[in-house]
């Protein structure tokens, strides 16, 4: 069974308090970087892998998608999605993305927001995604940055007074499971190198069309405590690719 | 005037002692990753930016290049290149790559090995390279990895007994000058993000064909003291791209 942390009531309640949960896309530090990297949605069939509350599904629907299928392993997340982000073209379905399968050429766009670092076998997922997409289809996803996942703790290295010294990188080339703490709970994540992320795309018939390490926008740096520290290390990676 | 550290006699002498200087390509930890990413050289016109001792120029010549132009700012490095890696098709020329210019479509291949982290304005260099290359031309280079250049010291973070704890990342999004220590000498290098490296390629008409963070080969890990630590952090980045 895949880990389904988001159906843990304590974790789910904590996640609901995050800005990205309460405010949606505008509360997500990476949104200003991600939005211009998204493809045209008009008239296209869209799949969102790990759709969570459905913010990106709703965005695709609002931008003219013909159909949007949001998959998530968490029943609780999907309940929120169905309540807050319903639309005639959107279907939400409970499924682990690793176990999902579709006919070849089922979609024009595959999206995923901050879910792939929970996936053990990224290469297998990219192979399936390449098959599910029609030629010329777009694949855009964000994930945790390899710098952020390598060492495992996902925490700053601090001096004895608690001041941040730097962010630690270790075991970079040793891919696989990491036990991180997120919202005070232990969560299993998977580290892989940048080489693995980009290589899986290039070796499965995708052309890379964009790569970004999003920085929080200046207004967040100015108004949210500790946000300036996010200029000291990359936390997320966004990749955009086109099936050739 | 561009910094010309390699004409400093002390630095030059220390550099000459490195495995990559004495043994050439086989003494360079990244060679086993770089070699398969190199393009076909047969019958093609090749430019090497920062050619140093000329190891890569010689390799291109041995693999059938029609012409090879090696540029380097250092007179001393070029003297070694001319002595050790001469060939009828190779010309070595003293020039700072930032100040070099050529007619549009002068080359089929542009190479660079571990030189671009000395360049202030990488975007300007990629714009020129795109112009110098013929359509379908190949651009392959290695540089220091953004993880390795971000914090600046390029040194491990150690405990009070000198044991390595991890590698520090800091000021990742703050691009520009860093004062590093290399071979015991202060050297000015320039940090830039992965986003900047890849983005400069994509925005100048290149298709990314390869990305690798080379690991030292197992036989080096097994036989060279401390080489196993190089599995803990990425030190180099190799990018391969094709002009469309």
């Amino acid at each position: 069974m895949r880990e389904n942390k988001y159906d843990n009531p304590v974790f789910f309640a904590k996640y609901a308090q995050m800005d990205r949960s309460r405010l949606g896309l505008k509360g997500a530090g990476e949104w200003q970087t991600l939005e211009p990297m998204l493809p045209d949605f008009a008239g296209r069939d869209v799949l969102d892998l790990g759709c969570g509350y459905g913010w990106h599904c709703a965005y695709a629907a609002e931008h003219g998608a013909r159909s949007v299928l949001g998959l998530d392993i968490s029943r609780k997340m999907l309940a929120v999605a169905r309540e807050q982000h319903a639309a005639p073209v959107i279907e939400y379905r409970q499924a682990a993305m690793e176990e999902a399968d579709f006919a070849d050429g089922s979609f024009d766009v595959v999206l995923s927001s901050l879910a792939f670092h929970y996936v053990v076998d990224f290469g297998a997922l990219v192979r399936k995604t390449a098959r599910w997409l029609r030629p010329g289809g777009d694949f855009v996803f964000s994930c945790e940055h390899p710098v952020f996942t390598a060492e495992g703790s996902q925490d700053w290295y601090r001096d004895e007074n608690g001041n941040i010294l730097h962010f630690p990188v270790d075991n970079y080339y040793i891919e696989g499971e990491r036990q991180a703490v997120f919202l005070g709970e232990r969560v299993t994540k998977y580290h892989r190198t940048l080489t693995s992320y980009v290589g899986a795309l290039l070796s499965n018939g995708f052309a890379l069309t964009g790569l970004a390490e999003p920085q929080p926008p200046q207004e967040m740096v100015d108004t949210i405590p500790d946000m300036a520290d996010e200029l000291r290390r990359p936390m997320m990676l966004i990749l955009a690719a086109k099936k050739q």
Side-chain angles (χ1 to χ4, degrees), chain A residues 18-34 114 214-231 235-236:
Chain A
M18 291 183 76
D19 275 358
R20 64 176 57 241
S21 306
R22 294 187 302 108
L23 307 173
L25 303 177
K26 292 202 169 72
E30 77 280 13
W31 177 242
Q32 293 191 17
T33 306
L34 176 59
L114 297 178
Q215 301 175 230
Q218 193 60 44
E219 66 263 28
M220 283 194 180
V221 173
D222 293 343
T223 58
I224 301 178
D226 302 333
M227 193 59 88
D229 292 329
E230 296 305 327
L231 300 177
M235 184 189 264
M236 294 180 203

Side-chain angles (χ1 to χ4, degrees), chain A residues 122 175 192-201:
Chain A
F122 179 69
E175 299 191 315
R192 56 186 67 90
T193 64
L194 176 68
T195 305
S196 290
Y197 276 114
V198 174
L201 295 174

Side-chain angles (χ1 to χ4, degrees), chain A residues 50-64:
Chain A
C51 65
Y53 283 4
W55 289 104
H56 300 89
C57 291
Y59 182 89
E62 286 158 14
H63 287 77

